[in-house]
Amino acid sequence: MRGGRIAVFLDRDGTVNEEVEFLRTPDQLRLITGAGTAIRSLNDHGILTCIISNQSGVARGFLTEEDLPSIHEKLRNELLHSRARLDKIYYCPHHPAEGKPPYNIVCDCRKPATGMLRRGEEDMGIDLERSFVVGDRIVDVQVGKAVGATTVLVLTGYGRTSVAECIAAGVRPDFTAPSIVEAVDFILRRIHGAHDSST
Ligand SMILES: [Mg+2]
Ligand SMILES: [Zn+2]
């Protein structure tokens, strides 16, 4: 939506919390160092923050959709220690090939498909072209590019492997950051640089 609000869409595992390969329970969730403060500074600047997470562990039967609310409550509680908040959490429980009905379908929400970004656009009046996608995998970069957003690849989680994957596939993130901390610094510079050439 042109003229809409700016959002930062954050991948969850390996970007906001440590990658543990199919996180199944709240006690497995640990924030990446600095994630709380970084998200808080987006909140303070009036920028929307939304999680967009592929959770094919649901389709694969590693956890159920009913397990996700308590995991996300833990995530929100951890962020609250830094007085940080997420405006929305979107997830895709599907997988095109693996698992059981009703989840083993080709959906429009599994990244790199753009369904979760489109829902954010609709739900919150977001201008996707002025928005940002931050993640540790090639699909995070691809989904951002597909809607004209600015993309940041972080080197936490699977990030280091993703660098080579992106190069091989000719997919170029706008910025590569050691972690969400530097990703948010970059985003704030991008947004404010547009008004203030002295910074
Ligand atoms: Mg990830
Ligand atoms: Zn899906």
Side-chain angles (χ1 to χ4, degrees):
M1 179 187 162
R2 259 178 210 286
R5 296 189 65 183
I6 296 178
V8 176
F9 292 93
L10 297 159
D11 168 53
R12 195 190 81 182
D13 302 326
T15 301
V16 176
N17 54 268
E18 301 282 359
E19 173 64 53
V20 295
E21 236 178 275
F22 298 113
L23 190 145
R24 297 155 207 236
T25 60
D27 58 284
Q28 290 178 299
L29 188 138
R30 302 264 180 285
L31 288 184
I32 300 258
T33 307
T37 318
I39 291 173
R40 162 89 186 280
S41 65
L42 294 173
N43 298 151
D44 289 347
H45 282 85
I47 298 161
L48 293 169
T49 56
C50 307
I51 294 284
I52 51 167
S53 182
N54 282 358
Q55 288 298 319
S56 71
V58 174
R60 298 172 204 257
F62 298 154
L63 74 170
T64 71
E65 227 175 325
E66 289 67 42
D67 294 325
L68 288 171
S70 64
I71 291 168
H72 291 152
E73 189 190 335
K74 172 81 186 287
L75 174 60
R76 289 186 186 279
N77 283 337
E78 291 295 306
L79 291 172
L80 270 182
H81 294 312
S82 308
R83 278 168 292 143
R85 96 177 174 264
L86 296 167
D87 293 289
K88 286 271 184 197
I89 298 178
Y90 297 113
Y91 64 86
C92 162
H94 308 113
H95 192 280
E98 312 241 351
K100 298 188 204 116
Y103 298 114
N104 58 340
I105 57 162
V106 176
C107 63
D108 68 355
C109 47
R110 180 172 164 81
K111 297 176 288 187
T114 57
M116 292 189 278
L117 296 176
R118 295 291 175 204
R119 268 189 70 192
E121 176 184 39
E122 184 126 319
D123 292 347
M124 285 172 286
I126 291 167
D127 185 339
L128 294 176
E129 290 188 24
R130 290 164 67 218
S131 292
F132 298 81
V133 176
V134 180
D136 68 321
R137 302 201 91 157
I138 186 171
V139 292
D140 298 308
V141 180
Q142 288 167 325
V143 75
K145 291 198 169 284
V147 300
T150 301
T151 55
V152 184
L153 179 69
V154 289
L155 297 179
T156 49
Y158 292 111
R160 298 200 174 269
T161 340
S162 302
V163 171
E165 246 184 285
C166 283
I167 292 169
V171 172
R172 291 193 177 173
D174 294 283
F175 189 66
T176 300
S179 79
I180 187 175
V181 173
E182 297 80 7
V184 166
D185 289 344
F186 164 80
I187 289 167
L188 293 175
R189 281 200 308 274
R190 263 290 165 103
I191 292 171
H192 295 109
H195 314 289
D196 180 2
S197 56
S198 70
T199 54

Short mmCIF file of all heavy atoms in Angstrom, two decimals, residues 53-82:
data_model
loop_
_atom_site.label_atom_id
_atom_site.label_comp_id
_atom_site.label_asym_id
_atom_site.label_seq_id
_atom_site.Cartn_x
_atom_site.Cartn_y
_atom_site.Cartn_z
N SER A 53 7.57 -16.29 9.81
CA SER A 53 8.33 -17.50 10.14
C SER A 53 7.78 -18.73 9.42
O SER A 53 6.59 -19.03 9.51
CB SER A 53 8.26 -17.71 11.66
OG SER A 53 9.00 -18.84 12.05
N ASN A 54 8.64 -19.42 8.68
CA ASN A 54 8.26 -20.73 8.13
C ASN A 54 8.35 -21.74 9.27
O ASN A 54 9.42 -21.92 9.85
CB ASN A 54 9.23 -21.16 7.02
CG ASN A 54 8.97 -20.47 5.69
OD1 ASN A 54 8.04 -19.67 5.56
ND2 ASN A 54 9.79 -20.77 4.70
N GLN A 55 7.24 -22.38 9.59
CA GLN A 55 7.23 -23.38 10.66
C GLN A 55 6.78 -24.72 10.10
O GLN A 55 5.74 -25.28 10.49
CB GLN A 55 6.31 -22.91 11.79
CG GLN A 55 6.88 -21.74 12.59
CD GLN A 55 8.18 -22.09 13.30
OE1 GLN A 55 8.32 -23.18 13.84
NE2 GLN A 55 9.16 -21.19 13.26
N SER A 56 7.56 -25.26 9.18
CA SER A 56 7.19 -26.53 8.55
C SER A 56 7.28 -27.69 9.52
O SER A 56 6.83 -28.80 9.22
CB SER A 56 8.05 -26.80 7.32
OG SER A 56 9.36 -27.11 7.71
N GLY A 57 7.86 -27.45 10.71
CA GLY A 57 7.86 -28.47 11.77
C GLY A 57 6.44 -28.90 12.11
O GLY A 57 6.22 -30.03 12.55
N VAL A 58 5.47 -28.00 11.88
CA VAL A 58 4.06 -28.36 12.11
C VAL A 58 3.63 -29.40 11.08
O VAL A 58 3.11 -30.47 11.44
CB VAL A 58 3.15 -27.10 12.05
CG1 VAL A 58 1.69 -27.49 12.13
CG2 VAL A 58 3.51 -26.12 13.17
N ALA A 59 3.87 -29.12 9.80
CA ALA A 59 3.52 -30.08 8.74
C ALA A 59 4.24 -31.42 8.96
O ALA A 59 3.65 -32.49 8.79
CB ALA A 59 3.88 -29.52 7.37
N ARG A 60 5.48 -31.32 9.38
CA ARG A 60 6.31 -32.53 9.54
C ARG A 60 5.97 -33.30 10.81
O ARG A 60 6.52 -34.37 11.05
CB ARG A 60 7.79 -32.14 9.58
CG ARG A 60 8.30 -31.48 8.30
CD ARG A 60 9.72 -30.97 8.52
NE ARG A 60 10.09 -29.89 7.61
CZ ARG A 60 10.88 -30.05 6.54
NH1 ARG A 60 11.35 -31.23 6.25
NH2 ARG A 60 11.17 -29.02 5.77
N GLY A 61 5.13 -32.71 11.68
CA GLY A 61 4.69 -33.40 12.88
C GLY A 61 5.66 -33.29 14.06
O GLY A 61 5.53 -34.02 15.04
N PHE A 62 6.63 -32.35 13.99
CA PHE A 62 7.56 -32.15 15.12
C PHE A 62 6.90 -31.40 16.26
O PHE A 62 7.29 -31.49 17.41
CB PHE A 62 8.81 -31.40 14.66
CG PHE A 62 9.61 -32.11 13.62
CD1 PHE A 62 10.41 -31.40 12.73
CD2 PHE A 62 9.58 -33.50 13.53
CE1 PHE A 62 11.15 -32.06 11.77
CE2 PHE A 62 10.33 -34.16 12.56
CZ PHE A 62 11.12 -33.43 11.68
N LEU A 63 5.92 -30.58 15.91
CA LEU A 63 5.12 -29.88 16.92
C LEU A 63 3.76 -29.60 16.29
O LEU A 63 3.58 -29.81 15.09
CB LEU A 63 5.80 -28.58 17.39
CG LEU A 63 5.84 -27.34 16.49
CD1 LEU A 63 6.35 -26.14 17.28
CD2 LEU A 63 6.71 -27.53 15.26
N THR A 64 2.80 -29.16 17.11
CA THR A 64 1.48 -28.86 16.56
C THR A 64 1.28 -27.35 16.55
O THR A 64 2.02 -26.62 17.21
CB THR A 64 0.35 -29.50 17.38
OG1 THR A 64 0.26 -28.80 18.63
CG2 THR A 64 0.62 -30.98 17.64
N GLU A 65 0.28 -26.93 15.80
CA GLU A 65 -0.01 -25.50 15.75
C GLU A 65 -0.37 -24.99 17.14
O GLU A 65 -0.15 -23.82 17.45
CB GLU A 65 -1.16 -25.27 14.76
CG GLU A 65 -0.85 -24.15 13.82
CD GLU A 65 -1.87 -23.94 12.73
OE1 GLU A 65 -2.47 -24.91 12.23
OE2 GLU A 65 -2.07 -22.76 12.38
N GLU A 66 -0.92 -25.86 17.97
CA GLU A 66 -1.31 -25.48 19.34
C GLU A 66 -0.09 -25.24 20.23
O GLU A 66 -0.21 -24.66 21.31
CB GLU A 66 -2.21 -26.56 19.96
CG GLU A 66 -3.62 -26.64 19.38
CD GLU A 66 -3.67 -27.12 17.92
OE1 GLU A 66 -2.91 -28.07 17.58
OE2 GLU A 66 -4.41 -26.53 17.12
N ASP A 67 1.08 -25.72 19.81
CA ASP A 67 2.30 -25.47 20.59
C ASP A 67 2.86 -24.07 20.35
O ASP A 67 3.66 -23.57 21.15
CB ASP A 67 3.41 -26.48 20.20
CG ASP A 67 3.06 -27.91 20.58
OD1 ASP A 67 2.42 -28.09 21.63
OD2 ASP A 67 3.42 -28.83 19.82
N LEU A 68 2.45 -23.45 19.25
CA LEU A 68 3.08 -22.18 18.88
C LEU A 68 2.74 -21.01 19.81
O LEU A 68 3.62 -20.22 20.13
CB LEU A 68 2.77 -21.83 17.41
CG LEU A 68 3.50 -22.72 16.40
CD1 LEU A 68 2.97 -22.47 14.99
CD2 LEU A 68 5.01 -22.44 16.43
N PRO A 69 1.48 -20.87 20.29
CA PRO A 69 1.20 -19.71 21.15
C PRO A 69 2.10 -19.63 22.39
O PRO A 69 2.54 -18.53 22.75
CB PRO A 69 -0.27 -19.92 21.55
CG PRO A 69 -0.85 -20.69 20.41
CD PRO A 69 0.25 -21.60 19.95
N SER A 70 2.41 -20.77 23.03
CA SER A 70 3.24 -20.68 24.23
C SER A 70 4.69 -20.34 23.87
O SER A 70 5.39 -19.65 24.61
CB SER A 70 3.17 -21.98 25.03
OG SER A 70 3.70 -23.05 24.29
N ILE A 71 5.14 -20.78 22.70
CA ILE A 71 6.48 -20.42 22.23
C ILE A 71 6.53 -18.91 21.95
O ILE A 71 7.47 -18.22 22.32
CB ILE A 71 6.86 -21.24 20.98
CG1 ILE A 71 7.05 -22.71 21.37
CG2 ILE A 71 8.10 -20.69 20.30
CD1 ILE A 71 7.13 -23.69 20.20
N HIS A 72 5.47 -18.42 21.34
CA HIS A 72 5.45 -16.99 21.01
C HIS A 72 5.24 -16.11 22.24
O HIS A 72 5.72 -14.99 22.30
CB HIS A 72 4.42 -16.73 19.89
CG HIS A 72 4.88 -17.32 18.59
ND1 HIS A 72 4.03 -17.75 17.60
CD2 HIS A 72 6.14 -17.59 18.15
CE1 HIS A 72 4.75 -18.24 16.60
NE2 HIS A 72 6.03 -18.16 16.91
N GLU A 73 4.55 -16.66 23.24
CA GLU A 73 4.43 -15.94 24.50
C GLU A 73 5.80 -15.82 25.18
O GLU A 73 6.17 -14.76 25.70
CB GLU A 73 3.44 -16.67 25.42
CG GLU A 73 3.08 -15.86 26.65
CD GLU A 73 2.30 -16.69 27.66
OE1 GLU A 73 1.64 -17.69 27.26
OE2 GLU A 73 2.36 -16.34 28.85
N LYS A 74 6.58 -16.91 25.12
CA LYS A 74 7.94 -16.86 25.67
C LYS A 74 8.78 -15.82 24.92
O LYS A 74 9.50 -15.03 25.53
CB LYS A 74 8.59 -18.25 25.55
CG LYS A 74 10.08 -18.32 25.90
CD LYS A 74 10.32 -18.38 27.39
CE LYS A 74 11.78 -18.31 27.80
NZ LYS A 74 12.59 -19.48 27.54
N LEU A 75 8.64 -15.81 23.60
CA LEU A 75 9.37 -14.83 22.79
C LEU A 75 9.00 -13.41 23.21
O LEU A 75 9.88 -12.56 23.45
CB LEU A 75 9.06 -15.07 21.31
CG LEU A 75 9.62 -14.07 20.30
CD1 LEU A 75 11.15 -14.02 20.35
CD2 LEU A 75 9.16 -14.43 18.88
N ARG A 76 7.71 -13.13 23.32
CA ARG A 76 7.26 -11.79 23.72
C ARG A 76 7.74 -11.44 25.13
O ARG A 76 8.14 -10.30 25.39
CB ARG A 76 5.73 -11.71 23.66
CG ARG A 76 5.18 -11.72 22.23
CD ARG A 76 3.66 -11.49 22.27
NE ARG A 76 3.03 -11.62 20.97
CZ ARG A 76 3.00 -10.66 20.03
NH1 ARG A 76 3.59 -9.49 20.26
NH2 ARG A 76 2.40 -10.86 18.88
N ASN A 77 7.72 -12.41 26.04
CA ASN A 77 8.17 -12.16 27.40
C ASN A 77 9.67 -11.86 27.45
O ASN A 77 10.10 -10.98 28.19
CB ASN A 77 7.85 -13.35 28.31
CG ASN A 77 6.38 -13.37 28.69
OD1 ASN A 77 5.70 -12.34 28.65
ND2 ASN A 77 5.88 -14.55 29.04
N GLU A 78 10.45 -12.60 26.68
CA GLU A 78 11.89 -12.33 26.63
C GLU A 78 12.15 -10.92 26.11
O GLU A 78 13.01 -10.21 26.61
CB GLU A 78 12.60 -13.36 25.74
CG GLU A 78 12.64 -14.77 26.30
CD GLU A 78 13.45 -14.86 27.57
OE1 GLU A 78 14.62 -14.45 27.57
OE2 GLU A 78 12.91 -15.32 28.60
N LEU A 79 11.39 -10.54 25.09
CA LEU A 79 11.57 -9.21 24.51
C LEU A 79 11.16 -8.11 25.48
O LEU A 79 11.74 -7.02 25.50
CB LEU A 79 10.79 -9.08 23.20
CG LEU A 79 11.33 -9.92 22.04
CD1 LEU A 79 10.37 -9.89 20.85
CD2 LEU A 79 12.71 -9.43 21.60
N LEU A 80 10.16 -8.42 26.32
CA LEU A 80 9.69 -7.43 27.30
C LEU A 80 10.78 -7.03 28.29
O LEU A 80 10.75 -5.92 28.82
CB LEU A 80 8.49 -7.99 28.09
CG LEU A 80 7.11 -7.73 27.51
CD1 LEU A 80 6.05 -8.30 28.43
CD2 LEU A 80 6.88 -6.23 27.28
N HIS A 81 11.76 -7.92 28.52
CA HIS A 81 12.88 -7.54 29.39
C HIS A 81 13.59 -6.30 28.85
O HIS A 81 14.20 -5.56 29.60
CB HIS A 81 13.90 -8.69 29.52
CG HIS A 81 13.36 -9.89 30.22
ND1 HIS A 81 12.67 -9.83 31.41
CD2 HIS A 81 13.39 -11.21 29.88
CE1 HIS A 81 12.32 -11.05 31.79
NE2 HIS A 81 12.73 -11.91 30.86
N SER A 82 13.53 -6.12 27.54
CA SER A 82 14.10 -4.92 26.92
C SER A 82 13.00 -3.91 26.57
O SER A 82 13.23 -3.00 25.79
CB SER A 82 14.87 -5.28 25.65
OG SER A 82 15.80 -6.30 25.90
#
